[in-house]
Amino acid sequence: MKRIYILLIILPFFLLSCAKQDSKNIEILNKAGENFVVLALSLGDYDENYVDAYFGPDSLKTKAKALGLRLDDIKSKAKENLAKIQVLNIKSDSLEYRKNFLINFYQSLLARADFLSGKKTTFDEESKAIYGVVAPHFDSKFYAGILSSLDSILPKGNGTIAQRLADFKKLFIIPETKVDTVFKTAIVKAHQQTLKFIKMPADENFKLEFVKGKSWGAYNWFKGNSQSLIQVNTEVPIYIDRPIDLACHEGYPGHHVFHSTIERDYVKKRGWVEFSIYPLFSPMSLVSEGAANAGINIAFEKTVRRKFEKQVLFPLAGIDTTYADKYFKVIELLTELENASTDIARDYLDGKISKEKAKDLLINYKLQTPERADMNIKFYEIYRSYIINYTLGQKMIENYLAKKNSKTEKDRWQEYYKLLQRPPLPKDLLTNE
Ligand SMILES: [Zn+2]
């Protein structure tokens, strides 16, 4: 009885001191969040690709401009902020999450600022510093098995596997005049699938544009207020399997849904301002690209997807379906060759192989056309170890989701949506592997 009495006296004081501690921590995190935005925007002046999206207050843009920070200032201020949040003693789960995300944001900003200052690191050191992970290395034996399967499936001919593949794939190019209709149809379908399970902001929307002269195949530029600009590069041929991939990856349930969810849940509801900026070279990209790729299989179970492509998209594009199943098999094997991108980029950027050799490997191991190989090399030069986010990111996200043991389609969507609502950090993904 006495103990309960003492507890009743102590408890309110204890709760009060926790609340006080929490509000102090919130104040520090808010400040560190705001400072991160200012420093990230400032870094954007030295790196045109760093700020992928910003939809926060204009006042922080004005502040960054007015400060006119030098690279060294950005680094020292980032270190100061990092030190302040690293020592915070936080009890609440959501504040601890915010703290850890901010720590990762600052650490990745520092790594990118170091690179811009001329610091040399290996590909693997860079990916670890920015995305928190190192991609596995595959040797030529790994690719030989896949290449030999492709060799046996592709129509016979005199050329190399790459040439025979290019000839076969020509049957599946969407004519330029049909690209718009086929893409829009794929996006409508991906949107419908997504809306069955995910509640999007009512006014969400996107604009679709076709562009040329880019190092990427497609891009989502998030504009804030649940609006995206999705650009598709038509400089290289667009094959019939791409519309579903890109509709899901860039739009639904990929980047557009991801950014809209973060904006609604973190920026607008909670006021976590650091999430109003998307620094491309940050761990956010591992989740964003990984989830965007994993989202394709969430939205379209394989047989449903192939049926939709054959019955709807092929006729819309005026493509004959006679060899469709063979084409799909080829595409699945090509997906397994995706790891080659990371291996070739790593060796090229680490100076172990020349540009010519990288191009040669892309043609012979990734079976790309010379034009596509040039585009990829341009991508590696600009985005560097970012390339790991597609294949490794997808694998990590899929492993993470597989641990949830979802039984039904609804369960799978629910787990996927939870992931978008609270993006895990690389370390969370790793501990769940
Ligand atoms: Zn992407």
Side-chain angles (χ1 to χ4, degrees), residues 319-359:
I319 296 174
D320 185 1
T321 55
T322 310
Y323 299 107
D325 291 335
K326 189 186 264 283
Y327 180 70
F328 293 143
K329 255 190 206 144
V330 168
I331 292 302
E332 278 156 28
L333 284 166
L334 288 176
T335 308
E336 293 181 43
L337 288 179
E338 281 302 316
N339 289 302
S341 271
T342 301
D343 285 327
I344 298 167
R346 180 194 289 116
D347 282 352
Y348 173 52
L349 295 172
D350 283 348
K352 289 185 183 156
I353 56 172
S354 65
K355 189 184 270 201
E356 290 66 37
K357 179 72 182 168
K359 185 171 173 177

Side-chain angles (χ1 to χ4, degrees), residues 180-381:
D180 186 61
T181 316
V182 179
F183 257 97
K184 282 184 178 149
T185 308
I187 294 177
V188 167
K189 184 72 178 172
H191 194 195
Q192 283 170 353
Q193 298 285 92
T194 303
L195 289 190
K196 279 190 224 164
F197 302 99
I198 286 183
K199 197 167 163 39
M200 296 277 295
D203 52 354
E204 61 86 14
N205 209 347
F206 70 93
K207 219 177 118 192
L208 180 65
E209 260 181 26
F210 297 100
V211 295
K212 288 188 195 292
K214 305 291 178 188
S215 63
W216 35 257
Y219 213 110
N220 175 304
W221 303 98
F222 188 66
K223 302 290 179 189
N225 290 318
S226 324
Q227 308 298 307
S228 283
L229 168 64
I230 296 176
Q231 291 185 322
V232 176
N233 186 359
T234 54
E235 189 157 321
V236 283
I238 297 183
Y239 300 97
I240 194 64
D241 58 300
R242 295 301 282 153
I244 289 287
D245 274 353
L246 296 179
C248 294
H249 181 104
E250 307 297 342
Y252 308 93
H255 293 319
H256 175 63
V257 178
F258 181 64
H259 292 309
S260 300
T261 305
I262 295 279
E263 180 188 36
R264 181 194 60 201
D265 294 354
Y266 281 0
V267 181
K268 291 190 173 170
K269 272 191 199 156
R270 299 189 187 197
W272 292 0
V273 74
E274 63 275 21
F275 287 95
S276 65
I277 194 159
Y278 170 27
L280 197 70
F281 304 107
S282 75
M284 191 62 116
S285 289
L286 183 87
V287 186
S288 178
E289 296 298 0
N293 271 353
I296 304 168
N297 299 328
I298 299 280
F300 288 93
E301 190 272 320
K302 201 165 103 180
T303 48
V304 173
R305 172 179 177 165
R306 297 313 184 200
K307 196 172 157 197
F308 176 73
E309 286 175 321
K310 270 207 281 194
Q311 292 183 350
V312 179
L313 300 186
F314 273 66
L316 266 184
I319 296 174
D320 185 1
T321 55
T322 310
Y323 299 107
D325 291 335
K326 189 186 264 283
Y327 180 70
F328 293 143
K329 255 190 206 144
V330 168
I331 292 302
E332 278 156 28
L333 284 166
L334 288 176
T335 308
E336 293 181 43
L337 288 179
E338 281 302 316
N339 289 302
S341 271
T342 301
D343 285 327
I344 298 167
R346 180 194 289 116
D347 282 352
Y348 173 52
L349 295 172
D350 283 348
K352 289 185 183 156
I353 56 172
S354 65
K355 189 184 270 201
E356 290 66 37
K357 179 72 182 168
K359 185 171 173 177
D360 185 53
L361 291 172
L362 281 167
I363 293 171
N364 291 309
Y365 280 89
K366 208 164 165 247
L367 305 183
Q368 294 191 323
T369 59
E371 298 74 34
R372 185 80 202 194
D374 284 335
M375 205 171 116
N376 271 25
I377 290 173
K378 202 163 126 193
F379 185 96
Y380 303 155
E381 288 167 349

